[in-house]
Amino acid sequence: MTKKRVAVIFGGRSGEHQVSLNSAASVIEALDKDKYEIVPVAITPEGKWFAGVEPAQMLAGQDPEQLGQRVALLADPTYGGLAPVEDGSVRVEQLRPIDVAFPVLHGTFGEDGTVQGLLELANIPYVGGGVMASAVGMDKVMMKTVFAQHGLPQVRFCHFLRRDWELNPGAVLDLVEQLGYPVFVKPANLGSSVGISRARNRDELQQAIELAASYDRKIIAEEFADAREIEVSVLGNDNPMASLPGEIIPLNEFYDYEAKYVEGKSRLVVPAQLPAETMLELQRLAIRAFKALDCAGLARVDFFLRRDNGAVLINEINTIPGFTRTSMYPRMWEATGIPYQELLDRLIDLALERHREKNRSRTTFQPPVAAG
């Protein structure tokens, strides 16, 4: 059996660079070496691409420029692969074709449709959502607007631009305060809870907005919900399925970056202890959210479960969730009956299936011939 050449792309220019390295290390370790020829592709924080660099090496602080070969992904459907870059020139004659790409890039410049667009231009199958689903899923304002259009229940929110804040801070404060205190303030286009604050009064709100505005030009504010934090994994293309839910129990004030990535700062309960009808409702809404954004391959959908009345509210969707063996996305599938390595196989198969389906569509238009 001919092995499929899988390019695992990781690192990147976002604030979640380190998280990506951890996820990619787990993916590369678990991929079946009898089925796949694995090509690790590291993207540095400056945006340079290197083939042959392992994420574990970068985690150890080694310089990818000293370890691998500088490469470029050719956005040309004729080639569809990686070519070496030498002395500033791309060596097309040394092209290495790719059968499928596996982006393990969290946050901006990777999870937001940018890399997906490059892979589309190169006509390379890839794991995960397309350009539109990735871009909308990354932008919390657009995501919540689409969810609202589809009638999905969620907390109240408002948004504004950094320029609005700089020109008229009083109007912005008045707008946000309509949500009541406490209120959460977030950069619209960032993951892993980076730049998120909980504000209890006007002074804290000003500080929270300043922090969020240092990360993004668009800021979102959301009303507080006294709720349990529940997550559901989704897998599939046009006919997706949902995993058993899991619960995050943060030991910090809320599920911030430290609670997510520092051991002992949160507890993960998989599967979550919930009534059967609540589990079914969470799974149903997770699939609706996945379809609302026209996602593909995988996504993790995060929910609030109100403590007072048990209402389910959708918080957000992550189109490239954390992917270490202990991350919630694979852990929920493990609890549902799909082990880690099989999950990777399914994701690669789904990427190839979606690519075949897309290539069934016409790419040119033949105008009708006028009669007479």
Side-chain angles (χ1 to χ4, degrees):
M1 182 179 67
T2 303
K3 293 183 181 181
K4 293 184 177 69
R5 184 177 288 116
V6 179
V8 180
I9 307 173
F10 58 90
R13 294 168 54 195
S14 86
E16 298 173 80
H17 179 93
Q18 196 81 358
V19 181
S20 171
L21 299 183
N22 286 313
S23 291
S26 293
V27 169
I28 289 171
E29 180 187 17
L31 280 168
D32 189 338
K33 310 306 185 290
D34 292 330
K35 292 181 180 179
Y36 311 114
E37 177 190 343
I38 301 164
V39 181
V41 181
I43 304 177
T44 68
E46 298 75 33
K48 297 177 182 178
W49 292 46
F50 291 90
V53 180
E54 297 286 342
Q57 294 173 306
M58 293 180 70
L59 285 166
Q62 298 183 60
D63 183 356
E65 298 207 31
Q66 305 300 319
L67 300 169
Q69 183 176 43
R70 181 88 182 268
V71 294
L73 178 68
L74 294 186
D76 184 332
T78 306
Y79 297 104
L82 297 163
V85 177
E86 298 173 6
D87 301 322
S89 299
V90 178
R91 306 296 186 187
V92 178
E93 69 277 5
Q94 298 177 37
L95 178 88
R96 295 187 68 187
I98 296 170
D99 294 315
V100 62
F102 199 133
V104 191
L105 295 160
H106 306 306
T108 48
F109 308 112
E111 191 176 352
D112 58 357
T114 49
V115 166
Q116 289 76 13
L118 186 60
L119 292 165
E120 291 278 359
L121 287 170
N123 198 34
I124 295 173
Y126 58 92
V127 171
V131 176
M132 186 274 295
S134 300
V136 174
M138 189 72 221
D139 188 312
K140 293 179 175 64
V141 174
M142 294 304 299
M143 173 188 68
K144 288 180 176 293
T145 301
V146 172
F147 287 163
Q149 183 67 27
H150 283 258
L152 291 164
Q154 51 191 338
V155 298
R156 293 185 301 143
F157 68 95
C158 66
H159 74 279
F160 52 92
L161 300 179
R162 179 166 54 203
R163 182 169 177 80
D164 298 331
W165 170 245
E166 292 169 346
L167 292 177
N168 195 344
V172 169
L173 290 170
D174 291 342
L175 171 69
V176 176
E177 286 182 327
Q178 294 178 30
L179 299 175
Y181 288 111
V183 64
F184 282 97
V185 180
K186 308 176 181 181
N189 289 278
L190 211 59
S192 290
S193 298
V194 174
I196 295 179
S197 304
R198 178 179 175 178
R200 304 173 190 79
N201 53 55
R202 198 173 180 93
D203 287 342
E204 290 186 358
L205 179 57
Q206 290 177 307
Q207 296 171 27
I209 292 173
E210 288 289 351
L211 176 64
S214 71
Y215 287 102
D216 198 359
R217 59 176 285 276
K218 188 189 297 185
I219 297 98
I220 185 169
E222 301 172 3
E223 72 171 336
F224 168 75
D226 182 15
R228 297 164 64 183
E229 299 196 32
I230 310 293
E231 300 182 347
V232 177
S233 297
V234 182
L235 177 69
N237 288 332
D238 294 344
N239 187 31
M241 59 182 182
S243 72
L244 291 171
E247 181 171 10
I248 304 291
I249 304 176
L251 303 183
N252 288 2
E253 184 178 47
F254 64 94
Y255 196 40
D256 58 7
Y257 185 93
E258 184 182 47
K260 286 184 176 180
Y261 300 114
V262 177
E263 188 175 354
K265 291 293 184 178
S266 61
R267 287 201 303 118
L268 311 178
V269 181
V270 184
Q273 301 304 302
L274 298 165
E277 60 271 19
T278 303
M279 281 196 178
L280 290 173
E281 176 70 357
L282 286 160
Q283 291 172 321
R284 185 182 69 84
L285 289 174
I287 290 172
R288 280 185 60 193
F290 188 91
K291 289 184 173 182
L293 268 61
D294 195 24
C295 291
L298 76 162
R300 194 193 71 232
V301 187
D302 302 345
F303 293 93
F304 295 131
L305 182 62
R306 283 195 181 275
R307 298 184 192 278
D308 55 358
N309 59 11
V312 175
L313 302 172
I314 187 168
N315 179 24
E316 63 181 19
I317 193 168
N318 292 271
T319 55
I320 304 183
F323 226 102
T324 69
R325 285 186 177 273
T326 57
S327 296
M328 282 296 276
Y329 183 86
R331 280 188 62 180
M332 287 186 283
W333 280 120
E334 186 89 38
T336 310
I338 303 177
Y340 193 88
Q341 189 177 77
E342 182 184 336
L343 183 60
L344 297 176
D345 288 340
R346 290 200 188 196
L347 287 169
I348 289 171
D349 289 343
L350 286 166
L352 295 169
E353 173 192 278
R354 181 169 172 270
H355 190 70
R356 289 192 297 269
E357 178 63 22
K358 283 191 300 181
N359 284 344
R360 290 178 56 203
S361 304
R362 292 186 182 183
T363 57
T364 58
F365 172 66
Q366 187 69 37
V369 178

